[in-house]
Amino acid sequence: MLLKFSNWLAFEIFKLAEGSRIGEALSFFIYDTIKILLLLFVMIFIIGVLRSYLPQNKLKIWLNKKGIKANFFAALFGAVTPFCSCSSIPIFIGMVGAGIPLGIVFTFLIVSPLINEYLVVLMVGSFGWKISILYVISGMLIGIVSGVIMGKLKLEKYLNNDLFSDQNNAENNVISYPNFNSRLKYGYIEAISITKKIWYLVLIG
């Protein structure tokens, strides 16, 4: 249905010739953009619901340790959470909004898509445990070293504060979830809010 819609826009509305490179490129662009935005919205919604179970204050204390120890814990957290890069975005926004240093958050953002439980299991079956352990250690080191470097660069001034304003408000006000529907509502509101703020970046990308 989505493919038919993108073809309709490209060939019927924009009157491009079917089979032409420009027509096919525009059709693919429309199709892929809508698909990515829908996927992003769904993933942010799901992660938003899951984040309602995470104790933000405890997470902040855990990841606000001094030195490379905090980067190690962030890498460990990224390794044990089965998130892809798409679903890591709302977690990243939540961490920055909670006041966790950017370098530590980047360690999580890098490691999270690189290492997860099911990937390690597949690698052990395909390449053996030695290669799998080497991959995990390499992924952790890449995330930790990159996070330390990013922290030294002091890039906080380049952050779009509007993107994290809702998170800062949530941090200042303790949110309670009396039932599962309230968690679903939180996930939905977060998905709408974040998607509205980053849709044009997805379009450019």
Side-chain angles (χ1 to χ4, degrees):
M1 182 176 178
L2 184 56
L3 183 59
K4 288 182 179 179
F5 175 74
S6 60
N7 286 335
W8 174 74
L9 280 179
F11 305 127
E12 298 294 331
I13 301 302
F14 292 101
K15 304 297 182 180
L16 296 173
E18 292 190 34
S20 64
R21 289 186 177 182
I22 295 177
E24 293 296 332
L26 180 61
S27 175
F28 174 77
F29 176 78
I30 295 170
Y31 169 79
D32 220 38
T33 300
I34 296 174
K35 182 184 70 174
I36 290 172
L37 286 173
L38 287 174
L39 177 62
L40 187 65
F41 179 87
V42 171
M43 292 307 301
I44 292 173
F45 170 76
I46 293 173
I47 299 303
V49 174
L50 292 177
R51 274 188 55 224
S52 69
Y53 291 96
L54 285 176
Q56 293 292 325
N57 291 332
K58 290 183 179 179
L59 185 63
K60 183 178 179 179
I61 294 171
W62 191 42
L63 295 178
N64 258 334
K65 298 181 182 298
K66 293 183 178 180
I68 201 170
K69 187 186 294 185
N71 293 90
F72 172 77
F73 281 127
L76 194 62
F77 181 57
V80 298
T81 49
F83 301 142
C84 65
S85 55
C86 180
S87 54
S88 296
I89 291 173
I91 299 288
F92 168 83
I93 293 173
M95 285 181 169
V96 175
I100 297 172
L102 193 59
I104 297 169
V105 180
F106 265 108
T107 292
F108 164 80
L109 190 65
I110 293 168
V111 174
S112 181
L114 283 178
I115 305 172
N116 51 62
E117 297 89 337
Y118 53 85
L119 176 62
V120 172
V121 171
L122 289 174
M123 288 194 68
V124 169
S126 301
F127 304 106
W129 64 269
K130 290 183 179 179
I131 297 295
S132 302
I133 291 176
L134 183 62
Y135 175 82
V136 170
I137 293 173
S138 299
M140 294 277 287
L141 286 175
I142 289 171
I144 292 170
V145 172
S146 300
V148 170
I149 294 173
M150 296 295 287
K152 297 291 185 183
L153 294 176
K154 306 293 183 184
L155 300 175
E156 283 82 359
K157 60 184 178 182
Y158 297 108
L159 288 173
N160 183 352
N161 291 326
D162 292 338
L163 190 60
F164 305 101
S165 59
D166 294 339
Q167 301 298 325
N168 290 326
N169 293 333
E171 177 67 16
N172 294 330
N173 301 294
V174 178
I175 303 175
S176 60
Y177 306 97
N179 50 50
F180 185 65
N181 285 337
S182 63
R183 298 181 188 275
L184 292 176
K185 183 179 179 180
Y186 171 78
Y188 174 76
I189 292 173
E190 184 168 79
I192 290 287
S193 175
I194 294 176
T195 304
K196 280 183 178 179
K197 291 175 180 177
I198 66 174
W199 69 267
Y200 67 94
L201 298 174
V202 174
L203 197 67
I204 294 170

